[in-house]
Amino acid sequence: MSQTKIFKNHAQQPTSTPSRRMKKTLIAAVGIGMAVALSGCNEDTSSGTDKDTGAAESKAPSAGSSQSSAPASPSGDQPLFTGWQTQTSQKHHFRYDVPAKAEKWKILDEETALSYTDKNGQPIVVMTAAGNYREGGCASSPNPKAFGEAGKGQLATVGTTGGGKDGTLQENARNWAGNWGFAAYGGADHKPKIKVSEAKPWKQGGIEGYTATAQVTVTNRPSSCVPPKAVVHSVAQKLPDGTMHGWVIYADQGVPKALTDAQLKKIMSTVRSTGS
């Protein structure tokens, strides 16, 4: 899994992060020669990278994968599945669950922020209230500018982001899915090929927002540690103050122990508002 830069977010943004609520736009080549620019909505970062081609479908659940589903409207600060771990982002007003430690999931401190950086070392995407799946594997990265303590060979990472007011919820759901796929699986130097689905309504757990999926084909595989493909799912919600916030999970595909579509959807089924 790609490495990331990690730092502690002590209420204030890192000194390297530019002014808040800036509109982020960066043009990136995706698919086969197509380049599209859309604005991102993330007060935590200095720039964003969006990709847009045709709609993409997630892979069908594999045989033997978990088919359990959470209640239609999950709520509360207790895990919805027995033995799972709950993570909460008070800043971005999301709560969600991931499987138990015994299943190789690790919840990070809510204030620990993970980021990928541009050529100047500035973060282009940032998430907090995160969790990692299967740390400790190969740490070779398809994005040479991704580095830091968080790069421990994990096969999936989940967390929250956002805080700005630019664009619509639909645009931001698609931007977050595309941005994280771009940053985590190649970046500007080794642009992955990305297809971002149209945003679809998401009504669950006190959230009335949108969700989008990015399918990623990795173009830079310096070793077998780097997956050939990846998938990113996002959920976007708007708070009463007009700010938009996102929940994102990105996961390696096509490698041993990779999360199945059913497992990813089960985690997504736990996403809910903090209600505050």
Side-chain angles (χ1 to χ4, degrees):
M1 181 63 204
S2 307
Q3 291 180 305
T4 56
K5 183 177 180 181
I6 188 168
F7 54 85
K8 287 287 184 177
N9 184 351
H10 300 290
Q12 300 297 321
Q13 296 302 316
T15 56
S16 61
T17 303
S19 60
R20 302 163 73 87
R21 292 196 175 92
M22 292 179 62
K23 187 173 183 179
K24 297 85 188 172
T25 303
L26 190 68
I27 296 177
V30 298
I32 304 177
M34 179 176 289
V36 178
L38 291 177
S39 63
C41 180
N42 193 337
E43 67 176 0
D44 292 334
T45 68
S46 59
S47 61
T49 308
D50 188 69
K51 290 91 351 230
D52 178 19
T53 60
E57 297 295 333
S58 298
K59 294 192 299 183
S62 60
S65 60
S66 175
Q67 299 296 322
S68 300
S69 60
S73 298
S75 61
D77 58 3
Q78 297 300 311
L80 302 181
F81 298 106
T82 302
W84 280 37
Q85 308 171 78
T86 298
Q87 175 66 289
T88 299
S89 172
Q90 297 296 342
K91 177 180 180 181
H92 296 301
H93 300 264
F94 280 102
R95 182 172 285 125
Y96 66 93
D97 305 329
V98 297
K101 292 180 181 179
E103 296 184 51
K104 306 301 182 181
W105 276 92
K106 177 182 178 181
I107 289 294
L108 305 180
D109 185 272
E110 182 183 349
E111 297 302 321
T112 297
L114 284 67
S115 77
Y116 287 89
T117 60
D118 63 17
K119 63 182 180 180
N120 297 316
Q122 300 297 313
I124 59 173
V125 287
V126 181
M127 65 166 54
T128 54
N132 286 328
Y133 169 60
R134 286 194 172 271
E135 287 185 352
C138 297
S140 180
S141 173
N143 183 349
K145 293 185 173 62
F147 59 92
E149 296 177 24
K152 297 179 180 178
Q154 62 266 27
L155 296 183
T157 295
V158 57
T160 60
T161 189
K165 294 184 177 180
D166 295 318
T168 65
L169 273 179
Q170 295 96 316
E171 290 170 341
N172 279 284
R174 299 185 74 241
N175 285 343
W176 283 319
N179 289 349
W180 280 96
F182 178 87
Y185 294 99
D189 288 346
H190 300 284
K191 296 173 183 176
K193 297 177 181 179
I194 299 179
K195 292 184 178 180
V196 184
S197 73
E198 293 301 318
K200 298 178 181 180
W202 177 275
K203 294 184 179 181
Q204 174 185 292
I207 298 172
E208 291 194 11
Y210 284 85
T211 183
T213 298
Q215 299 287 351
V216 184
T217 299
V218 180
T219 60
N220 178 44
R221 299 189 67 202
S223 79
S224 60
C225 298
V226 177
K229 294 183 181 295
V231 65
V232 188
H233 295 293
S234 68
V235 175
Q237 68 170 328
K238 180 184 285 188
L239 300 184
D241 65 1
T243 59
M244 285 171 274
H245 302 260
W247 178 94
V248 176
I249 185 167
Y250 58 96
D252 294 7
Q253 299 288 277
V255 293
K257 307 296 185 180
L259 295 175
T260 65
D261 182 68
Q263 289 171 321
L264 288 165
K265 288 180 177 177
K266 185 173 181 179
I267 294 169
M268 289 186 74
S269 75
T270 70
V271 176
R272 53 207 187 266
S273 170
T274 59
S276 60

